[in-house]
């Protein structure tokens, strides 16, 4: 479960990530704490080589917002565990329907932030601040669209109304009737993304690195798995969910996710450092699939150029201790043109004894096909034959060069 949460954060807020590990000792849940740490370490190990690249991602502005009004939050339910269940379920179902959606709170509506969105969705609201209601009605008069689901009882002048609720409690998460209601509304405002998935147990979040897409393909519960999770929690509040997840992961530790890619792009699995095989699909798009762990995710980098070769552009045969060695590398397409955009890569330097000189290496970004490496050779670095290896992390191409360090 924590693995899934971490990947969702990475896909939705790539520049605001802090890793944590569950502290469950006060409840004597030592096994859960160990599993939490293991999940954290697993995700961090995958992210580390491409962290600089992932942090370049910008999250596109959402065109749809889901309202959470203060009055509804305060007076919705006497059971604090159920107060926000309608919001959690509605948000999950709307995301499953293919929408990137923001949450918008009362104070944001009151200061006019609704104008940033094409659509405001109101789910399950039986209470609403008068000022928020008036602001939404003004938003509609100014050309915006408000859709109230079937569980909302607040009359908003000019708002459209769906026949059914988008989500009321955990029992309606991924439920067919609620999903159909969400999709009927979302389909009018959703644009076809660069990467999509046809399967109901997959979410795709598409961000941008410069002008190019970076897609996160996330494994989520199928409708049947969602029902089984709810049953497991009802049976055992403390251990039901983790025990069910352990059983599911043991039965199917890795899954394959079907994807559809817009024409004109080459797709690369950043975890595997390899090109994703794509075949002709419907509407000129191309179809493929990617492997991921149970409740895992795969970041896919997309480029307008296929990556074909990484070569040394400028070699230097020797350098004196205390000087700076400058090398250049070029990443090419099959047309022998530079690969456009940012491409993650790693630099590894080994000294005369074959051990890695980690202080000279690290993660880098190839920009528009060009990488320049500057090595400041220390006065006390050992003389002899050194080697530098660059590996780009989309297709796994490598380039090596040797140089001699002299006193």
């Amino acid at each position: 479960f924590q693995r899934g949460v971490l990947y969702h954060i990475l896909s939705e807020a790539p520049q605001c990530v802090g890793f944590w590990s569950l502290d469950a000792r006060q409840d004597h849940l030592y096994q859960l704490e160990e599993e939490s740490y293991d999940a954290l370490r697993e995700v961090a190990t995958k992210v580390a080589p491409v962290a600089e690249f992932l942090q370049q991602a910008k999250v596109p502005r959402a065109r749809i917002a889901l309202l959470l009004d203060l009055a509804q939050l305060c007076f919705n339910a006497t059971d604090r565990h159920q107060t926000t269940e309608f919001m959690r379920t509605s948000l999950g179902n709307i995301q499953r329907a293919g929408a990137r959606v923001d949450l918008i709170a009362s104070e944001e509506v009151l200061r006019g932030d609704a104008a940033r969105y094409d659509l405001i969705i109101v789910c399950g609201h039986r209470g609403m601040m008068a000022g928020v209601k008036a602001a939404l009605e003004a938003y509609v008069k100014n050309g915006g669209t408000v859709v109230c689901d079937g569980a909302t009882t607040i009359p908003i002048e000019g708002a459209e109304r769906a026949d059914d609720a988008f989500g009321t409690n955990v029992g309606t998460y991924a439920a067919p009737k609620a999903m159909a209601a969400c999709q009927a509304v979302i389909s009018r405002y959703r644009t076809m993304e660069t990467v999509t998935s046809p399967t109901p147990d997959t979410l795709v979040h598409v961000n941008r690195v410069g002008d190019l897409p970076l897609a996160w393909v996330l494994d989520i519960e199928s409708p049947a798995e969602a029902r089984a999770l709810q049953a497991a929690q009802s049976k055992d509040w403390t251990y039901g969910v983790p025990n069910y997840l352990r059983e599911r992961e043991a039965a199917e530790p890795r899954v394959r996710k079907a994807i559809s890619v817009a024409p004109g792009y080459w797709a690369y699995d950043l975890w595997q450092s390899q090109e994703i095989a794509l075949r002709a699909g419907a509407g000129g798009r191309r179809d493929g699939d990617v492997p991921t762990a149970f409740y895992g995710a795969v970041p896919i980098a997309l480029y307008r150029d296929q990556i074909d070769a990484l070569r040394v552009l400028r070699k230097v045969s020797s350098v004196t201790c205390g000087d700076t060695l400058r090398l250049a590398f070029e990443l090419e397409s099959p047309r022998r043109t530079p690969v456009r955009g940012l491409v993650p890569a790693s630099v590894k330097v080994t000294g005369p004894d074959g051990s890695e000189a980690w202080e000279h290496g690290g993660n880098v970004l190839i920009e528009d096909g060009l990488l320049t490496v500057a090595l400041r050779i220390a006065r006390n670095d050992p003389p002899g034959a050194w080697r530098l290896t660059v590996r780009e992390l989309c297709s796994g191409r490598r380039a090596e060069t040797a140089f001699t360090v002299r006193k």
Side-chain angles (χ1 to χ4, degrees):
F1 175 78
Q2 183 169 337
R3 179 194 301 149
V5 170
L6 290 173
Y7 283 131
H8 275 272
I9 295 172
L10 284 166
S11 69
E12 296 185 38
Q15 296 171 326
C16 308
V17 173
F19 281 165
W20 74 97
S21 182
L22 175 69
D23 185 352
R25 285 170 293 182
Q26 62 180 350
D27 297 319
H28 305 290
L29 304 178
Y30 302 113
Q31 183 179 359
L32 293 183
E33 184 176 356
E34 287 295 325
E35 290 175 349
S36 174
Y37 176 76
D38 290 341
L40 173 73
R41 183 173 58 182
E42 174 195 330
V43 174
T45 300
K46 286 179 174 290
V47 167
V50 292
E52 286 78 3
F53 178 74
L54 296 179
Q55 288 179 333
Q56 300 297 316
K58 305 294 183 184
V59 178
R61 181 181 71 86
R63 300 172 57 203
I64 301 172
L66 179 62
L67 174 70
L68 178 56
D69 184 73
L70 181 60
Q72 171 68 13
L73 184 62
C74 290
F75 303 112
N76 179 49
T78 55
D79 183 350
R80 63 186 178 87
H81 294 294
Q82 301 298 324
T83 300
T84 59
E85 285 298 327
F86 76 102
M87 284 296 296
R88 292 170 57 193
T89 306
S90 298
L91 174 62
N93 287 343
I94 292 168
Q95 289 177 326
R96 278 176 170 269
R100 172 158 257 159
V101 58
D102 286 347
L103 293 179
I104 187 168
S106 303
E107 59 269 26
E108 294 170 306
V109 175
L110 292 172
R111 70 177 180 224
D113 288 355
R116 298 168 48 198
Y117 301 97
D118 299 335
L119 171 66
I120 305 293
I121 298 175
V122 183
C123 295
H125 276 57
R126 294 175 291 166
M128 185 175 293
M129 295 171 62
V132 172
K133 180 177 181 293
L136 290 177
E137 291 174 342
Y139 164 76
V140 172
K141 288 180 181 179
N142 290 327
T145 301
V146 173
V147 173
C148 298
D149 76 344
T152 296
T153 60
I154 303 297
I156 300 174
E157 185 178 349
E160 301 178 17
R161 179 167 291 278
D163 293 333
D164 295 307
F166 293 166
T168 54
N169 53 50
V170 292
T172 58
Y173 177 61
K177 191 175 182 180
M179 287 302 305
C182 289
Q183 288 164 346
V185 172
I186 297 305
S187 61
R188 291 183 286 156
Y189 297 90
R190 179 182 60 202
T191 57
M192 184 65 78
E193 287 281 13
T194 311
V195 179
T196 60
S197 177
T199 58
D201 60 351
T202 306
L203 277 184
V204 179
H205 291 161
V206 181
N207 300 329
R208 310 290 296 187
V209 175
D211 295 329
L212 296 171
L214 170 65
W216 283 90
V217 179
L218 300 111
D219 178 40
I220 60 173
E221 309 93 341
S222 67
E225 288 171 338
R227 302 286 84 76
L229 271 172
Q230 292 154 17
Q233 186 174 40
S234 298
K235 184 178 179 180
D236 183 343
W237 185 264
T238 302
Y239 292 103
V241 169
N243 285 342
Y244 171 79
L245 293 177
R246 288 190 200 100
E247 292 172 2
R248 289 288 299 116
E249 184 172 31
E252 193 176 21
R254 297 191 64 79
V255 293
R256 299 198 72 85
K257 295 294 176 182
I259 59 171
S260 172
V261 178
Y265 286 99
W266 301 92
Y268 295 89
D269 181 336
L270 290 181
W271 289 169
Q272 303 290 329
S273 293
Q274 66 182 23
E275 183 180 329
I276 299 170
L278 299 174
R279 56 190 180 277
R285 295 174 71 88
R286 295 193 296 164
D287 297 338
D289 59 76
V290 291
T292 183
F294 177 69
Y295 260 68
V298 180
I300 298 175
L302 295 108
Y303 297 94
R304 291 293 190 180
D305 305 298
Q306 184 182 17
I307 296 173
D308 183 64
L310 178 64
R311 65 184 185 89
V312 182
L313 191 63
R314 182 173 66 240
K315 294 182 179 181
V316 176
S317 59
S318 65
V319 62
T320 303
C321 288
D323 289 344
T324 299
L325 176 73
R326 300 184 187 279
L327 303 167
F329 298 82
E330 186 173 37
L331 187 62
E332 296 179 328
S333 73
R335 303 188 307 275
R336 304 278 75 86
T337 57
V339 174
R340 292 166 288 178
L342 293 176
V343 178
S346 65
V347 173
K348 180 179 179 180
V349 179
T350 55
D353 62 355
S355 62
E356 181 178 357
W358 56 266
E359 68 274 17
H360 291 306
N363 301 326
V364 295
L365 295 173
I366 302 172
E367 185 171 359
D368 291 329
L370 181 64
L371 172 66
T372 301
V373 178
L375 296 184
R376 179 80 166 84
I377 305 300
R379 294 186 180 276
N380 62 344
D381 274 333
W386 289 58
R387 183 171 295 277
L388 183 145
T389 303
V390 175
R391 180 175 181 260
E392 59 84 11
L393 301 176
C394 285
S395 71
R397 300 289 196 281
R398 297 172 181 265
E400 290 188 348
T401 185
F403 59 94
T404 301
V405 173
R406 305 182 187 281
K407 285 293 187 184

